[in-house]
Amino acid sequence: MNYPRALVFIFLAIPFCVMANVDDEQHSLFSLPVEELLQLEVTVAARKNESWLSSSGTVYVIGKSEIENYGWRDLKEILASIPNMDYFYQWSWLPGGQRGFTGNMSGTLMLIDGREVQNLLANEAFIMNNFPASRIERVEVLQGPNSTLYGGNATQGVINVITRLGQGERELHLIAGEVGTKHAHLLVNHQYNTLSMALSASYFESDQDYDELRSFVMDPNDFSRNSKDALRDLNPNNFRNDEQSYTLDGKLDYRGFYVGMNISRSKNVSGIEAVAYDYITGDDSRRGYENYYLGKQIEFSDALRGSVEVSYFREYKEKDRLTTIVPDDAQTYQALIQYNEREDIGPSDRVRVNTQWQYQVDEQTDWVFGYDGWRTQIGRKVKYRDIAGQVVLFTPPEWAKDKEKSEKHALFAQYSKTVNWGSKSLKASAGLRYNQQDFTNSAYLPRASIVFQPNASESFKITYGEAFRPPTIFEFDLVVDDELESQTMKMSELNWSKSFSWNDIKLANIAAVYSMKAENFYEKILDPIAGTWQTRVTGEHTIMGFENQLKFQAQHWQGQISYRFVKPDEAQIGDIKEVLDIPVHKLKLGLVYRLSDTWRVAGFVDHWSKVYTQANNLLGDGTEVEQIPHWTTMNLHVFRQTKRYSFGVYIENLFDRSYYHSNARGTSPVRYLQAPRNLRLQISYKF
């Protein structure tokens, strides 16, 4: 989309008319993220409240004030601000990972208010447009493994989305943008004596069919390189990519008893990954998830307190698509024989019992311990084929029916001891989890850290952790193995965090160097004698890297500078070595300027270095190495905020650069085009 450049400067110039009214003493409407960070207690590293500076490991916190300043609409835009978060937006859900490890996001554990909402079918942190920013109070991201406290899938890190439930606010938030983008969110919090009630509800829809995207998917050189290309439907007007989603969060709390829910439903055309002959993967109704929980906070004494919680998690997936038979003499799309096919998986559900306790021995010593157990039932995969008006139902022979039911039991404990002398302190913590789970090996998972604070504004942290990801039902497809060993991750990390002032500028810095080693990849091989598929557990991949984030604040300015470096490494998978497609360098710059008591302008610059990726050969069989160019984009947010309302204009991809995310999960499509320049209006009202 090519807007006149004058339009950009109009939006830049609008707020400057109010600059003369700047009041240096009024800060109530201008957030102070550096000070908030230093005073903040986080929970993601230790499953208990602790200060950000003394928390073990590397923790990034993105608060509501930053989200409002930069104008981020949803969780994927928020995560883009973290220096060592990788994702590859393919216009549906987010594949990716952390610290250079990429895939289907199964190595990142997804939490809402500390409760796991990981996909049951494929262990994915399933992020679509179902996490609007107006739903979020803050996001805590732990880098590196922590299965000791969280169990499976926390091999690369943990994302904890803390909702605005219980924050005492009532708000209506609306967004309207191009390509039919609409979003509405309602937040209600109410307190009546000892009863608190909270509800958060949102709805999102978008066609997501930019003209540039339609043209891109018709280009077999840049996009697909698939054997289907010669027979595809090349009419861009038939391309669809619409999405709908809604979320519902609610909680009642009465004298320590609580009951709540997190519900997310999504319907999408599945983006532009693995599209069919008609350039549409199919209408994919994920139905998201439903998570209901009931619990009790218990306090026996000032020293011993904890909670007992029972939860029920349910998900469902259905997809409608055209299935194609290709006649031998087919030369055009019209010559294909197509019929409708529907695929259902589910419902799948999980009943879980979790209890966690904290025993405060004294002011410097405490224990965290607990039990986690669940019973999971994976729903049967069923396909419905409509051939000549006759519906045929069947389950694919490779579906692992005997792996649909499973149980897990785990015990965990973590000890923490702090020694103080003068202004200095040393905190040592060590934890261990024993995990027993059907169809995979039992495991002992340790985690240990030392945090040295020479003063109240600086800390040095050394952390060692291990984690695992159990196999999914898909990884038992067409195999004879009764048990598969889990994938594992080991990490060593050194972190330096510090807050300081320089020439009246307040700064807070996070720096970390690390080494992480993943082992036990799943490789499918065909037994030539038995004629059956088996899964071989093999391979390793080590990544070393550095990441840094500097936040700053000075009078009317605030912002951040972030950088990451990842040392490329060859992954050994079976007998094959390959370099995974990750950008070695990533640089991020965010700036917020307070024009007056109520007007602000913010910009965020994102830079990725070039990526080498493996893609199908355009001229024949096999693959070749392709380079995806480096890219730099800038997003702009101009807005006005008062105590009651705010409104603003957000411009994505301000200079209308064409840029691409690589495909981290295969050799076709080659890459994914990202959004051209577009505008959206954002309005919120507190009542």
Side-chain angles (χ1 to χ4, degrees), residues 101 517-521 538-542 569-574:
F101 292 93
K517 182 178 182 179
E519 295 181 293
N520 299 345
F521 298 104
T538 180
E540 63 182 46
H541 183 206
T542 301
D569 190 24
E570 291 183 331
Q572 178 75 37
I573 304 174

Side-chain angles (χ1 to χ4, degrees), residues 1 9 29 103 131 150 156 201 233 260 283 296 369 465 478 518 632:
M1 296 185 176
F9 292 104
L29 297 178
F131 286 92
Y150 290 105
Q156 300 164 17
D233 177 10
D283 289 322
K296 176 71 169 72
F369 56 92
L478 289 171
T632 303

Side-chain angles (χ1 to χ4, degrees), residues 296-363:
K296 176 71 169 72
Q297 299 284 350
I298 303 171
E299 187 170 338
F300 286 116
S301 65
D302 292 340
L304 180 62
R305 57 188 181 276
S307 64
V308 178
E309 184 174 293
V310 179
S311 62
Y312 175 72
F313 186 91
R314 178 185 174 95
E315 67 184 25
Y316 188 82
K317 179 182 183 294
E318 62 183 21
K319 176 180 285 190
D320 288 296
R321 60 190 171 196
L322 284 176
T323 298
T324 304
I325 298 175
V326 183
D328 292 338
D329 59 348
Q331 298 294 319
T332 65
Y333 175 75
Q334 288 71 25
L336 303 178
I337 300 172
Q338 296 182 310
Y339 56 90
N340 189 66
E341 179 180 271
R342 174 174 162 178
E343 178 184 281
D344 289 1
I345 305 178
S348 302
D349 53 31
R350 177 187 67 207
V351 177
R352 184 172 191 170
V353 177
N354 179 275
T355 181
Q356 178 177 312
W357 297 85
Q358 182 176 357
Y359 178 56
Q360 195 77 35
V361 180
D362 51 46
E363 291 185 359

Side-chain angles (χ1 to χ4, degrees), residues 55-172:
S55 61
S56 61
T58 299
V59 177
Y60 295 99
V61 181
I62 307 96
K64 183 162 66 73
S65 61
E66 279 187 280
I67 296 170
E68 292 173 344
N69 283 338
Y70 291 114
W72 295 323
R73 193 203 69 80
D74 58 20
L75 181 60
K76 69 176 182 295
E77 295 184 359
I78 294 171
L79 294 178
S81 68
I82 295 178
N84 221 343
M85 194 87 202
D86 289 297
Y87 66 72
F88 310 94
Y89 187 46
Q90 50 92 10
W91 297 94
S92 176
W93 61 287
L94 293 186
Q98 294 172 256
R99 287 187 163 176
F101 292 93
T102 57
N104 64 347
M105 203 72 89
S106 61
T108 294
L109 187 66
M110 188 78 219
L111 309 175
I112 297 180
D113 292 327
R115 297 177 181 88
E116 180 180 335
V117 291
Q118 205 82 352
N119 178 291
L120 294 179
L121 294 172
N123 287 344
E124 299 156 331
F126 208 79
I127 302 171
M128 299 179 71
N129 288 295
N130 56 341
F131 286 92
S134 50
R135 181 188 184 190
I136 298 171
E137 177 67 19
R138 71 176 185 270
V139 178
E140 299 176 358
V141 178
L142 173 69
Q143 298 284 73
N146 194 345
S147 280
T148 301
L149 295 178
Y150 290 105
N153 305 311
T155 56
Q156 300 164 17
V158 181
I159 299 173
N160 186 21
V161 174
I162 298 173
T163 67
R164 297 174 67 187
L165 299 181
Q167 300 297 323
E169 297 176 308
R170 293 180 294 179
E171 182 182 89
L172 176 64

